[in-house]
Amino acid sequence: MIEALADRVYYLAVFLLLGVGTYMLIGNANLVKKVIGMNIFQTGIFLFFITAAYIDGASPPLLSAPGPYVSPLPHVLILTAIVVGVSLTAVALGLIVRIYSEYGTLDEDAIAKVIADE
Amino acid sequence: MSDLPALVVAAPIVGSIAVLLAGVLRARTGWPLAVVAALVQVGGAVTLASRAFGEEPVRYVVGGFRAPFGIELVVDGLSATMVVLVAVVALGVLGYARVAGPRSNSFYAVYLLLVAGLTGMSVTGDVFNMYVFLEITGLAAYALVASGEGGRSALAALKYLIVGTVGASLFLLGIGYAYVATGTLNMADLSTQLAAVGYNSPLVQAAFGLLVAGLFVKVAVFPVHTWQPAAYAGAPDSVSALISALVSTVAAYALIRIVFTVFTVEFLLATPFARTVLVAGAVVSIVVGSALAVTQTEIKRMLAYSSVSQFGLVVGAIAVANGTALTGAAIHLVGHAVMKGGLFLTSGLVANATGVRTIDGYEGLAERLPVGAGAFSVLALGMVGVPPAVGFVGKWYIALGAVEAETWPLAVVILLSTLLTLAYFVRILERMYFREPAEASAAVETTEQRAAAGLVTDGTGTDAGLGPVSMGMRATVLVAAVLAVALGLAVFEYGALLQPTIERLLA
Amino acid sequence: MTEIASIRPVAAVLVSAVAIVPILASRGRPTLREGWTVLAAVTKLGIVASMVPGVLAGDVYVTDFGAFVPGIRFALRADPLGILFGLLASLLWLVTSFYSIGYMRGLNEHAQTRYFAAFAGSLAAAVGVAFASNLVVLFVFYELLTVATYPLVAHDETDEARAAGRKYLTYTFGGGVAALAGSVLVFWLTGTTAFTPGGIADLATADPLFARATFALLITGFGVKAALMPVHSWLPDAMVAPTPVSGLLHAVAVVKSGVFGIARVVLDVFGPGLVGDLGMGAVLGALAALTLTVASVIALRQDNLKRRLAYSTVSQLSYIVLGLAVLNPMSLAGGLLHIPAHAFMKLTLFFCAGAVHVETHTDDISNMAGIGDRMPLTMGAFGVAALGMAGIPLVAGFVSKYYLLVGTVTAGDLAFTGALLLSGILNIAYFWPVVYTAFFETPDESDPKPVVENVLGGRFGDPEAATDGGHDPDEGHDSDHGETDDHGFAPDHEGQGVQDEREASEHIDPEHGPDERAEWEHRAPNGDESTWFMLGPILFAAAGSVVLGVVPDTAVFLRVVRLIVAGVTGVSV
């Protein structure tokens, strides 16, 4: 049991990150923290792909290195996904700046109150 | 072999960059350039469609890496439908946006980017590529929603962004599981490899669950629809029309792709639970979406909840998983796009002409704005499923499919959805035609109306809700109303054209 | 039987649909607008009538637009059953058009353009129902008919009218859902929905459970518009609509489209044989018998004339359904013949009620004492039609009821015979008081009306006793404001007839009250009582009822009915 877990400790970390991210997304009223949670959630997924590509004792996928190689495809995919994630974060932060200048707060509940009062 | 599948994706991106660059040189050049790009897109899409409706789909290998190693674009009848729909709706909404919509060049650049993302999702034959286009679509959509004035649209966009990203991330996680199980990302290859791994494998089932959950968010199936009402209500009218007509539609297309091309019908048959999830999502969406729509006071929020309910029908058709129902799903996707887009444009037209955005404000609208009221009625009745409008034909196919598959609970709900849809639209029809205009009756309602108008435009004045009303806006709305009826009559030929595609999907 | 490809069926449908455009366009010029209506009505009648000789000779006119959805063609066929309904609707539309002109102008109604446009649309849909070649096309027009008539029901724009409109839409779209479900099931079971005289063959071999469910769904769907109990209650409420609407649509076109749907289901989808084998005929018959008896009893207690007529309609429609349900050739003929017979008579009655409303603003029977003096021709026509309703010979109702009675006796369903006879007596009981009060009573001297005035089942104890220290029972009525509009059904609304006016004038405003004389003004029976726009249609419809009753064989309807019954059962009646 312990060994089985130890073999999959990376996956454990992945799901821990996913859990933390989800909790922050739902539980936090602060918009910036929500975005941070979203980032953590995505990072978990990125690590999941990287972990899946790993083969015990293999070398990086370079022609100069001896085989066997770890799978290169997930790395490429995740590179793309990271770019997407960065752009998402940028857009989100841009929106938050606008929201802050509009309502003067980053707290979700406070904003809801402002809207209700309008 | 032609490069057309790649071109229809590339053309809007080129257009988008051109618009952005032109904006540096001269302001307000966005609209004409965007129209040119959209016209090119329509031409390309129609040409592509004319080839795709054959026995074999059009295939294109990106960058010379042959499938399953490289990325492949596959255009069959269903993809071609989506590509044409995206192009035509984008062009139509542009006709409306010239006077009404946001006018900055950056708006039109993002607009074309959205078109590119949607087209990409429609033509790709690779799941990871689909994820990328899903995110491009998402990014563009978030930015467009935020292009409205004031904090409300920014807040709606942020909510949309967070929920949408979670959905897309789940989709990505699903891809990860599928990749771990099979080592491939090409859809056609995945379907054979998944079968080889075995449909009972937890990895395969988890992959299905995550992919479907991710797409449920994008389609806005209850209970993960929460982003939709805020986003539709907060966005400028032209944007809500575009997004409501296309984004969820293409996401539903992606769901069909994933369920049938990647996982195939055999998977559904081997995994009754998967089917149950789809049926449950459909039934709950139809019923709860309609119920929530009835309780709304703001017209655009009501229309948004109506979308939740209508996409329940499409998900139901996917769950039924036979040829008739899938044909119905395709027809309903197109029909819903035309009708819902038209309804949002009409609500925008009404808001610009009279400053009214609440359901109560629609009282006596028929006298103040006969064109708007007439178009709204036709589109609403089409949505209810009054024949011969396209809404009826889609429902007929889906209901018939459900009966053929003998999934009785679903069949009952699908048929009853007519009444549920009627429940929220009849309130408006009655107010438009059989009540006195609000101004004439009580001063209270007028102030309410102004408050509502002020809320949207962020309290910049009582008349701020009024905007320009151009011939283009009226024409677009009328064209949508006419299309809603005309498509219903032309749908048989379309169904026949789609037959080879559907057979391949179900093979 | 030969099928002739022709554009006449579709032309008959489209002519009034197309007329909507010029009607809307000439909104500012009433005479021109009404001209379009009449032109469309004449054209429509001409087109439909031109097909009658061919149909009587055994031909069927078909317009085929090709496939609508796979396996189902969008085609219009003018077969005998279709011609029966199409001819009736288009003939009576012409009559009603003239009447509408008199009625709407007489009351100076609002939104007349919308009214005439919606009316034309309704007729297009009704004729579409008549000529539909299969269940799906029938459903298409059935739904369109609902949409087109909704503006007419809600025409008044009062709370009551809007509520009636909502109820109407809910009931009929609900029925539409059932009809659609039934159509889907038929298509699933047989692969077709096309109407075939004698029934679709494959249904006979289908699973009886599904076949019964299908029949039940279809009958429920069409039964809503046919006002079968317990889904009838939209009809009395819809009486809030202007009287020509109540007359043509809620006694002829709309409700008959429901009955017509049932006729199609019984005759051309299932076929009488299969309906009998499934045991559904008896169920449907029992439902119809119950409806026609209960509705007659309810009609006894209605004081508002239009509501009484509405319940009478509910009852009479079930005569037709009962005739179809008994499945005997004679009863089928009786039921089908009752479609035109009831149409002519009920139209007369509604026209009379409308004329009385326009001329004297009287809606309640209790205020009509002596009104025969004021409107002799109108009430005379009313009397004739009422006699026909009750089945007195020489008027249309007798012929169809005769066939119905013979049919039920031949089939051995004596319980149904009993129900028919009982309802016939009740017919007299609720129509005779109207005629009696009009001609043989005066406002000052009228008999008490215990059935109408008293609580159902009689009073228990003294109604005046107030155990809580007492306030006047009349005080508790402050909740009914807003119900006292002119078309309202509130029992205590003012301004009706000489009695109410006199009472009102005593304590409201003596100057605007009528003179003290509680007598109807006497008018000679020479057309002085109203305009000929209204009297002409009334007399035409009344004459039609008599012609159908005196020389049924010369009138075309009976010949068409015989053709239908022979086509379905192979027996000539």
Side-chain angles (χ1 to χ4, degrees), chain A residues 1-31:
Chain A
M1 181 67 193
I2 302 289
E3 276 170 29
L5 275 178
D7 280 350
R8 291 169 172 77
V9 67
Y10 298 111
Y11 288 106
L12 266 183
V14 163
F15 283 97
L16 209 60
L17 284 175
L18 290 180
V20 170
T22 315
Y23 177 76
M24 284 185 75
L25 268 175
I26 298 169
N28 256 304
N30 186 306
L31 294 177

Side-chain angles (χ1 to χ4, degrees), chain B residues 448-481:
Chain B
E448 259 178 22
Q449 217 182 80
R450 289 198 176 139
L455 193 81
V456 173
T457 54
D458 200 41
T460 41
T462 43
D463 287 339
L466 299 180
V469 177
S470 70
M471 278 314 290
M473 292 166 72
R474 286 173 197 273
T476 317
V477 164
L478 287 179
V479 166

